[in-house]
Amino acid sequence: MGVVGCILGFLVVIYLCYKDWSVYIASIVGAAVVIAFNVLPFMDTLLGSYVNGMFVPIKSFFFLLLFGSIQSKIYSESGAAFSIADTIMSKLLRPGASNTKKNVIAVAVIVAIGVILCMGGINASVFIVLMYPVALTIFEYCDIPKRFILGVLAAASYTFTLTMPGSPQVTNVAAMTALGTAADVALVPGLVGAAVEVVVIIVLMNIYINKARAKGEHFELHPLDPHYDKNTPRPNFWIALIPLVALFVAFNILKININICVIGSTVLSILLFWKQLKAKNLRELISTGAADSIHMSLTVAAICGFAGVVTNTEAFTTMLNAITGINMSPMLICAVVVAVMCMLTGGSSTGQLISLPLIAPKLLDLGLNVNAIHRIACFAATTLDSMPYSGAILMLLPMCRMKLREIYPPMFITTVIATTCGTIAVIVMCALFPGLC
């Protein structure tokens, strides 16, 4: 009955989130189902396991999300993000190109900008909000149906940019926190996995966009969609890159704590973009960016609270032992357990924070290198974390003014199929060339 309760609680959370209930209510109701079926004390479990579960991501990521959100607001309001995008677009996009060439270039440009911004510390979810108006401009220029826009933006932020070696994103940081490893471990397998994801994303998205065009679909701008004005003053392209490069160097080469890196990068952004920001209300801008981070932090915390209740049941221990007891490679055990936990929690970082402390000792006993655990776990974490009930997806629907059934198929291609292919590539590399870990 306990196992049934864990599964039923999970389904309740999925259903309520899909029906637009608050993630806080959904996670508490789901936790109540788990508590009832496992015969646990109701309030003691909520105030204990649930609240303790919420505290895990807040402790690990609060400052990262806070200053990442502020920096994203600065890049948006100063025009620095559009400066980067516009410069890259003007170099690559040419009139008269074939549909396939337009598709490939449009996807590649957005993915390239995602690498620059996300590897520079811009939070992945905030990146999508930040880049949405820019992506609209690219899609309009290339006549790509709008329903693909979140799938392409997710390809640039919810995939390899979270998991590749050196990434300052919370997914990579979560593995570092849980395992005590460095950001760039298993460098070659990670880069190979990232390359595989890029290829799969570009090939599959090109095929499906062309199929949509063949059915008569074209780009249509919603009346309330935002649009960047090209005549608005903005920082020079190279100036816009400086804070991002500085964060990447400080984090990966100087090995400075990620929170200090993000804070320093935010302050540097204000100083370098002061010419564009001085006409704005800087206090309000920073306060708005800070307030935006609270919703992201608590959304992650609520789902992690539900997961905290599940993982503290005997039923969960039984399920975990059953999976780890299967006679298969420890690399596959690592990938499966992390992927399932991230599916349960709806987050690639929270799933790792919960699952890795539980399975890492067993995997080490089985002879798996800790660096291999880190990189495999990171990539596996992004395979099933983007189910339709994921808070990171649901919060984007009002922005694009589209239905979940319209935007999710392209997102499934980029955030599930492509990431699964990347994870397989990392596992194969770690298995064939263990010395690279």
PDB file of all heavy atoms in Angstrom, residues 225-252:
ATOM      1  N   ASP A 225       2.158  39.981 -27.963  1.00  0.00           N
ATOM      2  CA  ASP A 225       3.556  39.550 -27.893  1.00  0.00           C
ATOM      3  C   ASP A 225       4.485  40.759 -27.869  1.00  0.00           C
ATOM      4  O   ASP A 225       4.252  41.750 -28.583  1.00  0.00           O
ATOM      5  CB  ASP A 225       3.912  38.672 -29.098  1.00  0.00           C
ATOM      6  CG  ASP A 225       3.550  37.218 -28.882  1.00  0.00           C
ATOM      7  OD1 ASP A 225       3.558  36.780 -27.715  1.00  0.00           O
ATOM      8  OD2 ASP A 225       3.253  36.517 -29.874  1.00  0.00           O
ATOM      9  N   PRO A 226       5.559  40.679 -27.065  1.00  0.00           N
ATOM     10  CA  PRO A 226       6.535  41.777 -27.026  1.00  0.00           C
ATOM     11  C   PRO A 226       7.423  41.767 -28.267  1.00  0.00           C
ATOM     12  O   PRO A 226       7.496  40.782 -28.991  1.00  0.00           O
ATOM     13  CB  PRO A 226       7.358  41.471 -25.774  1.00  0.00           C
ATOM     14  CG  PRO A 226       7.303  39.977 -25.685  1.00  0.00           C
ATOM     15  CD  PRO A 226       5.929  39.589 -26.167  1.00  0.00           C
ATOM     16  N   HIS A 227       8.089  42.893 -28.481  1.00  0.00           N
ATOM     17  CA  HIS A 227       8.990  42.969 -29.635  1.00  0.00           C
ATOM     18  C   HIS A 227      10.066  44.015 -29.330  1.00  0.00           C
ATOM     19  O   HIS A 227       9.752  45.125 -28.905  1.00  0.00           O
ATOM     20  CB  HIS A 227       8.219  43.373 -30.888  1.00  0.00           C
ATOM     21  CG  HIS A 227       8.863  42.898 -32.159  1.00  0.00           C
ATOM     22  ND1 HIS A 227       9.924  43.546 -32.723  1.00  0.00           N
ATOM     23  CD2 HIS A 227       8.601  41.831 -32.955  1.00  0.00           C
ATOM     24  CE1 HIS A 227      10.291  42.909 -33.832  1.00  0.00           C
ATOM     25  NE2 HIS A 227       9.506  41.851 -33.992  1.00  0.00           N
ATOM     26  N   TYR A 228      11.335  43.644 -29.536  1.00  0.00           N
ATOM     27  CA  TYR A 228      12.419  44.584 -29.297  1.00  0.00           C
ATOM     28  C   TYR A 228      12.469  45.641 -30.392  1.00  0.00           C
ATOM     29  O   TYR A 228      12.287  45.337 -31.574  1.00  0.00           O
ATOM     30  CB  TYR A 228      13.771  43.859 -29.272  1.00  0.00           C
ATOM     31  CG  TYR A 228      14.148  43.313 -27.921  1.00  0.00           C
ATOM     32  CD1 TYR A 228      14.418  41.955 -27.745  1.00  0.00           C
ATOM     33  CD2 TYR A 228      14.239  44.141 -26.814  1.00  0.00           C
ATOM     34  CE1 TYR A 228      14.772  41.440 -26.507  1.00  0.00           C
ATOM     35  CE2 TYR A 228      14.585  43.638 -25.578  1.00  0.00           C
ATOM     36  CZ  TYR A 228      14.857  42.300 -25.426  1.00  0.00           C
ATOM     37  OH  TYR A 228      15.197  41.809 -24.197  1.00  0.00           O
ATOM     38  N   ASP A 229      12.704  46.878 -29.983  1.00  0.00           N
ATOM     39  CA  ASP A 229      12.899  47.964 -30.939  1.00  0.00           C
ATOM     40  C   ASP A 229      14.393  48.050 -31.259  1.00  0.00           C
ATOM     41  O   ASP A 229      15.206  48.311 -30.379  1.00  0.00           O
ATOM     42  CB  ASP A 229      12.409  49.286 -30.338  1.00  0.00           C
ATOM     43  CG  ASP A 229      12.530  50.448 -31.310  1.00  0.00           C
ATOM     44  OD1 ASP A 229      13.033  50.240 -32.446  1.00  0.00           O
ATOM     45  OD2 ASP A 229      12.129  51.572 -30.952  1.00  0.00           O
ATOM     46  N   LYS A 230      14.744  47.832 -32.529  1.00  0.00           N
ATOM     47  CA  LYS A 230      16.159  47.828 -32.924  1.00  0.00           C
ATOM     48  C   LYS A 230      16.828  49.185 -32.745  1.00  0.00           C
ATOM     49  O   LYS A 230      18.056  49.282 -32.729  1.00  0.00           O
ATOM     50  CB  LYS A 230      16.298  47.363 -34.370  1.00  0.00           C
ATOM     51  CG  LYS A 230      15.968  45.897 -34.582  1.00  0.00           C
ATOM     52  CD  LYS A 230      16.317  45.448 -35.988  1.00  0.00           C
ATOM     53  CE  LYS A 230      16.081  43.958 -36.153  1.00  0.00           C
ATOM     54  NZ  LYS A 230      16.481  43.451 -37.490  1.00  0.00           N
ATOM     55  N   ASN A 231      16.022  50.230 -32.643  1.00  0.00           N
ATOM     56  CA  ASN A 231      16.592  51.577 -32.510  1.00  0.00           C
ATOM     57  C   ASN A 231      16.868  51.970 -31.069  1.00  0.00           C
ATOM     58  O   ASN A 231      17.441  53.032 -30.804  1.00  0.00           O
ATOM     59  CB  ASN A 231      15.636  52.602 -33.142  1.00  0.00           C
ATOM     60  CG  ASN A 231      15.465  52.373 -34.637  1.00  0.00           C
ATOM     61  OD1 ASN A 231      16.415  52.086 -35.346  1.00  0.00           O
ATOM     62  ND2 ASN A 231      14.225  52.499 -35.117  1.00  0.00           N
ATOM     63  N   THR A 232      16.472  51.124 -30.134  1.00  0.00           N
ATOM     64  CA  THR A 232      16.717  51.424 -28.720  1.00  0.00           C
ATOM     65  C   THR A 232      18.209  51.300 -28.415  1.00  0.00           C
ATOM     66  O   THR A 232      18.849  50.324 -28.809  1.00  0.00           O
ATOM     67  CB  THR A 232      15.934  50.441 -27.819  1.00  0.00           C
ATOM     68  OG1 THR A 232      14.549  50.546 -28.122  1.00  0.00           O
ATOM     69  CG2 THR A 232      16.158  50.768 -26.351  1.00  0.00           C
ATOM     70  N   PRO A 233      18.800  52.276 -27.715  1.00  0.00           N
ATOM     71  CA  PRO A 233      20.237  52.201 -27.378  1.00  0.00           C
ATOM     72  C   PRO A 233      20.540  50.943 -26.563  1.00  0.00           C
ATOM     73  O   PRO A 233      19.770  50.553 -25.688  1.00  0.00           O
ATOM     74  CB  PRO A 233      20.464  53.460 -26.533  1.00  0.00           C
ATOM     75  CG  PRO A 233      19.361  54.395 -26.929  1.00  0.00           C
ATOM     76  CD  PRO A 233      18.181  53.524 -27.235  1.00  0.00           C
ATOM     77  N   ARG A 234      21.669  50.321 -26.861  1.00  0.00           N
ATOM     78  CA  ARG A 234      22.067  49.110 -26.151  1.00  0.00           C
ATOM     79  C   ARG A 234      23.593  49.018 -26.122  1.00  0.00           C
ATOM     80  O   ARG A 234      24.273  49.638 -26.944  1.00  0.00           O
ATOM     81  CB  ARG A 234      21.462  47.876 -26.815  1.00  0.00           C
ATOM     82  CG  ARG A 234      21.775  47.712 -28.284  1.00  0.00           C
ATOM     83  CD  ARG A 234      21.014  46.505 -28.852  1.00  0.00           C
ATOM     84  NE  ARG A 234      21.399  46.207 -30.228  1.00  0.00           N
ATOM     85  CZ  ARG A 234      20.811  46.704 -31.293  1.00  0.00           C
ATOM     86  NH1 ARG A 234      19.820  47.569 -31.153  1.00  0.00           N
ATOM     87  NH2 ARG A 234      21.211  46.361 -32.506  1.00  0.00           N
ATOM     88  N   PRO A 235      24.140  48.223 -25.216  1.00  0.00           N
ATOM     89  CA  PRO A 235      25.598  48.108 -25.111  1.00  0.00           C
ATOM     90  C   PRO A 235      26.203  47.464 -26.357  1.00  0.00           C
ATOM     91  O   PRO A 235      25.548  46.699 -27.064  1.00  0.00           O
ATOM     92  CB  PRO A 235      25.797  47.203 -23.892  1.00  0.00           C
ATOM     93  CG  PRO A 235      24.510  47.243 -23.149  1.00  0.00           C
ATOM     94  CD  PRO A 235      23.446  47.454 -24.174  1.00  0.00           C
ATOM     95  N   ASN A 236      27.458  47.745 -26.575  1.00  0.00           N
ATOM     96  CA  ASN A 236      28.211  47.089 -27.638  1.00  0.00           C
ATOM     97  C   ASN A 236      28.271  45.580 -27.378  1.00  0.00           C
ATOM     98  O   ASN A 236      28.281  45.135 -26.234  1.00  0.00           O
ATOM     99  CB  ASN A 236      29.628  47.678 -27.685  1.00  0.00           C
ATOM    100  CG  ASN A 236      30.548  46.959 -28.643  1.00  0.00           C
ATOM    101  OD1 ASN A 236      31.188  45.984 -28.269  1.00  0.00           O
ATOM    102  ND2 ASN A 236      30.600  47.420 -29.873  1.00  0.00           N
ATOM    103  N   PHE A 237      28.301  44.802 -28.455  1.00  0.00           N
ATOM    104  CA  PHE A 237      28.316  43.340 -28.353  1.00  0.00           C
ATOM    105  C   PHE A 237      29.425  42.849 -27.431  1.00  0.00           C
ATOM    106  O   PHE A 237      29.200  42.008 -26.556  1.00  0.00           O
ATOM    107  CB  PHE A 237      28.488  42.750 -29.756  1.00  0.00           C
ATOM    108  CG  PHE A 237      28.757  41.263 -29.773  1.00  0.00           C
ATOM    109  CD1 PHE A 237      27.736  40.356 -29.541  1.00  0.00           C
ATOM    110  CD2 PHE A 237      30.033  40.772 -30.033  1.00  0.00           C
ATOM    111  CE1 PHE A 237      27.987  38.982 -29.557  1.00  0.00           C
ATOM    112  CE2 PHE A 237      30.280  39.405 -30.057  1.00  0.00           C
ATOM    113  CZ  PHE A 237      29.250  38.514 -29.816  1.00  0.00           C
ATOM    114  N   TRP A 238      30.634  43.359 -27.609  1.00  0.00           N
ATOM    115  CA  TRP A 238      31.774  42.884 -26.814  1.00  0.00           C
ATOM    116  C   TRP A 238      31.661  43.309 -25.357  1.00  0.00           C
ATOM    117  O   TRP A 238      32.037  42.554 -24.443  1.00  0.00           O
ATOM    118  CB  TRP A 238      33.086  43.386 -27.420  1.00  0.00           C
ATOM    119  CG  TRP A 238      33.306  42.859 -28.803  1.00  0.00           C
ATOM    120  CD1 TRP A 238      33.216  43.536 -29.984  1.00  0.00           C
ATOM    121  CD2 TRP A 238      33.621  41.500 -29.161  1.00  0.00           C
ATOM    122  NE1 TRP A 238      33.457  42.697 -31.050  1.00  0.00           N
ATOM    123  CE2 TRP A 238      33.711  41.447 -30.576  1.00  0.00           C
ATOM    124  CE3 TRP A 238      33.842  40.330 -28.424  1.00  0.00           C
ATOM    125  CZ2 TRP A 238      34.003  40.274 -31.263  1.00  0.00           C
ATOM    126  CZ3 TRP A 238      34.134  39.163 -29.101  1.00  0.00           C
ATOM    127  CH2 TRP A 238      34.214  39.137 -30.503  1.00  0.00           C
ATOM    128  N   ILE A 239      31.115  44.504 -25.117  1.00  0.00           N
ATOM    129  CA  ILE A 239      30.890  44.956 -23.743  1.00  0.00           C
ATOM    130  C   ILE A 239      29.851  44.068 -23.061  1.00  0.00           C
ATOM    131  O   ILE A 239      29.988  43.705 -21.886  1.00  0.00           O
ATOM    132  CB  ILE A 239      30.414  46.425 -23.726  1.00  0.00           C
ATOM    133  CG1 ILE A 239      31.482  47.344 -24.314  1.00  0.00           C
ATOM    134  CG2 ILE A 239      30.061  46.862 -22.300  1.00  0.00           C
ATOM    135  CD1 ILE A 239      32.771  47.383 -23.525  1.00  0.00           C
ATOM    136  N   ALA A 240      28.817  43.685 -23.825  1.00  0.00           N
ATOM    137  CA  ALA A 240      27.754  42.837 -23.276  1.00  0.00           C
ATOM    138  C   ALA A 240      28.276  41.464 -22.860  1.00  0.00           C
ATOM    139  O   ALA A 240      27.723  40.819 -21.969  1.00  0.00           O
ATOM    140  CB  ALA A 240      26.623  42.690 -24.291  1.00  0.00           C
ATOM    141  N   LEU A 241      29.347  41.003 -23.505  1.00  0.00           N
ATOM    142  CA  LEU A 241      29.901  39.688 -23.196  1.00  0.00           C
ATOM    143  C   LEU A 241      30.767  39.679 -21.939  1.00  0.00           C
ATOM    144  O   LEU A 241      30.942  38.625 -21.315  1.00  0.00           O
ATOM    145  CB  LEU A 241      30.741  39.182 -24.371  1.00  0.00           C
ATOM    146  CG  LEU A 241      30.013  38.718 -25.632  1.00  0.00           C
ATOM    147  CD1 LEU A 241      31.031  38.255 -26.670  1.00  0.00           C
ATOM    148  CD2 LEU A 241      29.042  37.598 -25.318  1.00  0.00           C
ATOM    149  N   ILE A 242      31.314  40.815 -21.557  1.00  0.00           N
ATOM    150  CA  ILE A 242      32.316  40.861 -20.487  1.00  0.00           C
ATOM    151  C   ILE A 242      31.834  40.239 -19.172  1.00  0.00           C
ATOM    152  O   ILE A 242      32.521  39.383 -18.589  1.00  0.00           O
ATOM    153  CB  ILE A 242      32.817  42.300 -20.271  1.00  0.00           C
ATOM    154  CG1 ILE A 242      33.654  42.755 -21.478  1.00  0.00           C
ATOM    155  CG2 ILE A 242      33.653  42.400 -18.981  1.00  0.00           C
ATOM    156  CD1 ILE A 242      34.113  44.197 -21.403  1.00  0.00           C
ATOM    157  N   PRO A 243      30.656  40.617 -18.632  1.00  0.00           N
ATOM    158  CA  PRO A 243      30.228  40.009 -17.363  1.00  0.00           C
ATOM    159  C   PRO A 243      30.043  38.500 -17.459  1.00  0.00           C
ATOM    160  O   PRO A 243      30.322  37.773 -16.498  1.00  0.00           O
ATOM    161  CB  PRO A 243      28.885  40.709 -17.070  1.00  0.00           C
ATOM    162  CG  PRO A 243      28.951  41.993 -17.824  1.00  0.00           C
ATOM    163  CD  PRO A 243      29.707  41.669 -19.083  1.00  0.00           C
ATOM    164  N   LEU A 244      29.593  38.009 -18.617  1.00  0.00           N
ATOM    165  CA  LEU A 244      29.373  36.578 -18.800  1.00  0.00           C
ATOM    166  C   LEU A 244      30.703  35.834 -18.848  1.00  0.00           C
ATOM    167  O   LEU A 244      30.854  34.773 -18.228  1.00  0.00           O
ATOM    168  CB  LEU A 244      28.584  36.329 -20.088  1.00  0.00           C
ATOM    169  CG  LEU A 244      27.260  37.091 -20.226  1.00  0.00           C
ATOM    170  CD1 LEU A 244      26.615  36.786 -21.567  1.00  0.00           C
ATOM    171  CD2 LEU A 244      26.312  36.740 -19.080  1.00  0.00           C
ATOM    172  N   VAL A 245      31.644  36.383 -19.584  1.00  0.00           N
ATOM    173  CA  VAL A 245      32.973  35.770 -19.667  1.00  0.00           C
ATOM    174  C   VAL A 245      33.656  35.814 -18.303  1.00  0.00           C
ATOM    175  O   VAL A 245      34.296  34.835 -17.880  1.00  0.00           O
ATOM    176  CB  VAL A 245      33.836  36.486 -20.731  1.00  0.00           C
ATOM    177  CG1 VAL A 245      35.266  35.955 -20.698  1.00  0.00           C
ATOM    178  CG2 VAL A 245      33.230  36.313 -22.116  1.00  0.00           C
ATOM    179  N   ALA A 246      33.504  36.928 -17.601  1.00  0.00           N
ATOM    180  CA  ALA A 246      34.125  37.075 -16.279  1.00  0.00           C
ATOM    181  C   ALA A 246      33.594  36.015 -15.309  1.00  0.00           C
ATOM    182  O   ALA A 246      34.360  35.408 -14.555  1.00  0.00           O
ATOM    183  CB  ALA A 246      33.856  38.477 -15.724  1.00  0.00           C
ATOM    184  N   LEU A 247      32.280  35.776 -15.346  1.00  0.00           N
ATOM    185  CA  LEU A 247      31.700  34.763 -14.464  1.00  0.00           C
ATOM    186  C   LEU A 247      32.227  33.378 -14.819  1.00  0.00           C
ATOM    187  O   LEU A 247      32.605  32.610 -13.931  1.00  0.00           O
ATOM    188  CB  LEU A 247      30.171  34.785 -14.577  1.00  0.00           C
ATOM    189  CG  LEU A 247      29.409  33.868 -13.602  1.00  0.00           C
ATOM    190  CD1 LEU A 247      28.055  34.465 -13.249  1.00  0.00           C
ATOM    191  CD2 LEU A 247      29.208  32.464 -14.167  1.00  0.00           C
ATOM    192  N   PHE A 248      32.274  33.072 -16.105  1.00  0.00           N
ATOM    193  CA  PHE A 248      32.736  31.757 -16.542  1.00  0.00           C
ATOM    194  C   PHE A 248      34.189  31.525 -16.117  1.00  0.00           C
ATOM    195  O   PHE A 248      34.537  30.452 -15.615  1.00  0.00           O
ATOM    196  CB  PHE A 248      32.610  31.631 -18.059  1.00  0.00           C
ATOM    197  CG  PHE A 248      32.992  30.279 -18.589  1.00  0.00           C
ATOM    198  CD1 PHE A 248      32.084  29.233 -18.571  1.00  0.00           C
ATOM    199  CD2 PHE A 248      34.260  30.049 -19.087  1.00  0.00           C
ATOM    200  CE1 PHE A 248      32.440  27.974 -19.048  1.00  0.00           C
ATOM    201  CE2 PHE A 248      34.628  28.796 -19.564  1.00  0.00           C
ATOM    202  CZ  PHE A 248      33.708  27.761 -19.546  1.00  0.00           C
ATOM    203  N   VAL A 249      35.032  32.518 -16.299  1.00  0.00           N
ATOM    204  CA  VAL A 249      36.447  32.394 -15.935  1.00  0.00           C
ATOM    205  C   VAL A 249      36.609  32.262 -14.419  1.00  0.00           C
ATOM    206  O   VAL A 249      37.363  31.414 -13.926  1.00  0.00           O
ATOM    207  CB  VAL A 249      37.245  33.610 -16.461  1.00  0.00           C
ATOM    208  CG1 VAL A 249      38.664  33.609 -15.888  1.00  0.00           C
ATOM    209  CG2 VAL A 249      37.287  33.587 -17.984  1.00  0.00           C
ATOM    210  N   ALA A 250      35.896  33.104 -13.671  1.00  0.00           N
ATOM    211  CA  ALA A 250      36.003  33.068 -12.213  1.00  0.00           C
ATOM    212  C   ALA A 250      35.550  31.728 -11.647  1.00  0.00           C
ATOM    213  O   ALA A 250      36.167  31.179 -10.724  1.00  0.00           O
ATOM    214  CB  ALA A 250      35.176  34.199 -11.607  1.00  0.00           C
ATOM    215  N   PHE A 251      34.494  31.167 -12.232  1.00  0.00           N
ATOM    216  CA  PHE A 251      33.938  29.910 -11.724  1.00  0.00           C
ATOM    217  C   PHE A 251      34.763  28.699 -12.131  1.00  0.00           C
ATOM    218  O   PHE A 251      35.055  27.824 -11.313  1.00  0.00           O
ATOM    219  CB  PHE A 251      32.495  29.766 -12.222  1.00  0.00           C
ATOM    220  CG  PHE A 251      31.807  28.508 -11.774  1.00  0.00           C
ATOM    221  CD1 PHE A 251      31.702  28.189 -10.426  1.00  0.00           C
ATOM    222  CD2 PHE A 251      31.260  27.637 -12.703  1.00  0.00           C
ATOM    223  CE1 PHE A 251      31.060  27.023 -10.012  1.00  0.00           C
ATOM    224  CE2 PHE A 251      30.614  26.474 -12.309  1.00  0.00           C
ATOM    225  CZ  PHE A 251      30.519  26.167 -10.956  1.00  0.00           C
ATOM    226  N   ASN A 252      35.179  28.657 -13.397  1.00  0.00           N
ATOM    227  CA  ASN A 252      35.821  27.450 -13.928  1.00  0.00           C
ATOM    228  C   ASN A 252      37.339  27.458 -13.853  1.00  0.00           C
ATOM    229  O   ASN A 252      37.956  26.407 -13.703  1.00  0.00           O
ATOM    230  CB  ASN A 252      35.401  27.237 -15.385  1.00  0.00           C
ATOM    231  CG  ASN A 252      33.984  26.730 -15.502  1.00  0.00           C
ATOM    232  OD1 ASN A 252      33.708  25.582 -15.214  1.00  0.00           O
ATOM    233  ND2 ASN A 252      33.081  27.616 -15.889  1.00  0.00           N
TER     234      ASN A 252
END
